[in-house]
Amino acid sequence: MSESITLLQEIEHEMRELRHRIHANPELGYQEVETSQLVAERLLKWGYQVTRGLAETAVIGTLKKGTGTRVIGIRADMDALPILEKTGLPYASRIPGKMHACGHDGHTVMLLAAAYALAHDHPFDGTVHLIFQPAEEGLAGARRMIQEGVLKQFPCDAVFAAHNMPGYPTGKLGFRAGPFMASADQVNVTIHGKGGHGAMPHLTVDPVVVCASIIMALQTIVSRNVSPQEMSVITVGAVNAGKASNVIADSAHMLISVRALDNTVRDRLEHQIKQLIHAQAQAFGASAEIDYSADYPLLINDAHMTRFASQVATDWLGPDEVLNDIAPFNGSEDFAYFLQQCPGCYLIIGNGDGEKSCMAHDPRYDFNDEILLRGAGFWVKLTEAFLPLKP
Ligand SMILES: [Zn+2]
Ligand SMILES: [Zn+2]
């Protein structure tokens, strides 16, 4: 197994330090000013043509070698989360309430390390666009980049991205063709009742009771309206109403998160949720206002590109390091917007599954430095395989 890439080994120490520096200075979506500056400086130094200005803080590094016309795009996300870090690490966040709890610091540095190796060795024939994207966490940086024309300005034959994944063995590369990450929709519900004195409920329409009934009834959509073979999740994540025990509120609010791994199921959920909420509210003499917004789309990996990427991993590392047909995830990912426009593959890199492993978005989460070179090396191997030299 010829895993090591000498150039990457030479810069491993520097790249770990850089990862820690980014980790200590997390920036939220569309505010990745220092992070993108740091990325752009290095890309320029290594001879990349650098484009900035898309989606506030995006950076695109372009490198062309040979005369080939094929183009590959590789994307990394750069944003942190509004979380108070509790890792106790020497390089923990210096900014209270902001934290790299999803490992995007690692994604950024993996792609930078690959950029170094591709610029200094590893001949290929064609063009590589390294896309450093802002605001993956809920703010749809990918959608904004596409709306601002990233794939028109930098057309790609295929696009790829990876996520570090806790709960999977360190460094294993995981692939799945087809639907891989769930769609995410958010429903903002207001129940309008009729407020009044808490001692005289018969003169009111209590929106809290209406909400309680709706919340219980919503559970039956997943259990009774969607096939047990299909994944679907409805979570009422927030309920707000009233301020005092002896006052019946005028209205109540709920925020609901909806996930699916199939667009037909997604449509079905929307229809059932709206119908159920309106009917329930009406049954109690209340009314409902529903703002149903589509967040991230279903992430669908192209079958051919997934097979290609998995084969590159197997040729490089051997079959034991590659997991094929892994189970899809209920989480969502805005790389889905890129995959709506261009064939490609989103893969995972195991972040470790030991006792210390915790979920991403946990205040104790940290990207595993052991997988830095694995991720960077894969991007190098993938680029070489996608843009092969002429025989
Ligand atoms: Zn995340
Ligand atoms: Zn993430």
Side-chain angles (χ1 to χ4, degrees):
M1 203 189 304
S2 59
E3 183 183 339
S4 54
I5 293 177
T6 316
L7 267 181
L8 288 176
Q9 285 176 314
E10 284 169 12
I11 58 160
E12 180 172 15
H13 182 69
E14 188 191 335
M15 287 298 135
R16 282 187 186 219
E17 281 186 344
L18 189 61
R19 211 276 294 174
H20 298 171
R21 193 170 136 194
I22 295 174
H23 189 92
N25 298 285
E27 296 174 299
L28 301 180
Y30 299 122
Q31 298 165 21
E32 304 90 337
V33 177
E34 281 178 31
T35 311
S36 60
Q37 178 65 22
L38 189 149
V39 166
E41 275 170 12
R42 277 165 181 73
L43 292 174
L44 277 171
K45 193 167 88 183
W46 300 334
Y48 282 77
Q49 183 195 321
V50 173
T51 306
R52 303 180 72 175
L54 279 170
E56 312 275 345
T57 51
V59 182
I60 294 137
T62 300
L63 188 66
K64 187 170 166 38
K65 288 187 182 182
T67 53
T69 54
R70 265 164 80 81
V71 184
I72 183 174
I74 308 174
R75 172 277 217 171
D77 39 15
M78 303 186 287
D79 57 323
L81 284 154
I83 292 176
L84 182 66
E85 179 158 353
K86 290 183 186 157
T87 59
L89 289 163
Y91 54 84
S93 170
R94 293 193 193 127
I95 306 161
K98 294 183 190 176
M99 177 191 175
H100 270 294
C102 204
H104 298 184
D105 47 345
H107 299 168
T108 301
V109 175
M110 284 194 297
L111 193 54
L112 260 189
Y116 176 86
L118 287 168
H120 291 85
D121 194 2
H122 301 281
F124 57 82
D125 189 31
T127 301
V128 55
H129 295 308
L130 305 181
I131 302 164
F132 294 84
Q133 180 210 301
E136 191 284 324
E137 297 286 2
L139 297 171
R143 183 176 61 201
R144 179 137 168 219
M145 288 190 79
I146 285 161
Q147 283 167 347
E148 293 183 15
V150 66
L151 288 175
K152 294 205 170 71
Q153 209 178 331
F154 305 95
C156 298
D157 294 308
V159 287
F160 298 87
H163 207 293
N164 71 103
M165 198 54 74
Y168 282 80
T170 307
K172 300 244 190 219
L173 300 173
F175 299 88
R176 184 185 183 88
F180 186 44
M181 304 285 284
S183 61
D185 298 322
Q186 181 163 272
V187 199
N188 194 332
V189 182
T190 306
I191 301 297
H192 296 288
K194 181 166 175 275
H197 200 296
M200 286 171 267
H202 57 295
L203 301 178
T204 72
V205 176
D206 186 348
V208 173
V209 173
V210 180
C211 275
S213 182
I214 289 173
I215 292 165
M216 295 313 292
L218 282 172
Q219 312 306 314
T220 65
I221 294 179
V222 171
S223 68
R224 302 291 93 178
N225 298 125
V226 177
S227 160
Q229 263 90 48
E230 303 274 12
M231 191 290 276
S232 60
V233 178
I234 299 175
T235 293
V236 181
V239 187
N240 289 293
K243 285 192 173 68
S245 65
N246 59 353
V247 180
I248 289 171
D250 252 332
S251 61
H253 302 271
M254 290 186 286
L255 284 174
I256 305 170
S257 174
V258 184
R259 315 277 173 149
L261 272 170
D262 176 283
N263 282 324
T264 312
V265 173
R266 185 188 196 185
D267 292 344
R268 180 95 200 258
L269 291 171
E270 177 174 355
H271 174 76
Q272 294 287 140
I273 287 168
K274 285 179 175 169
Q275 195 186 41
L276 184 143
I277 291 174
H278 283 305
Q280 287 272 325
Q282 200 188 13
F284 288 93
S287 65
E289 214 178 299
I290 303 174
D291 177 14
Y292 206 106
S293 61
D295 282 352
Y296 291 175
L298 194 61
L299 182 144
I300 302 171
N301 278 330
D302 178 81
H304 174 67
M305 288 305 164
T306 304
R307 221 176 306 122
F308 174 78
S310 162
Q311 192 58 51
V312 169
T314 308
D315 291 345
W316 177 37
L317 301 165
D320 290 349
E321 292 300 298
V322 179
L323 306 168
N324 285 308
D325 299 321
I326 60 171
F329 292 91
N330 296 356
S332 307
E333 161 63 54
D334 79 349
F335 190 63
Y337 290 106
F338 277 95
L339 292 176
Q340 284 181 333
Q341 306 291 322
C342 183
C345 172
Y346 182 77
L347 62 129
I348 62 149
I349 305 179
N351 200 57
D353 56 354
E355 259 176 40
K356 280 195 238 152
S357 166
C358 64
M359 282 307 296
H361 295 203
D362 186 297
R364 286 160 310 219
Y365 192 69
D366 191 30
F367 177 86
N368 184 350
D369 283 327
E370 299 297 316
I371 68 173
L372 255 182
L373 294 202
R374 178 59 65 91
F378 178 70
W379 292 140
V380 172
K381 294 288 179 186
L382 186 73
T383 303
E384 286 178 328
F386 197 85
L387 307 172
L389 297 172
K390 288 187 192 82

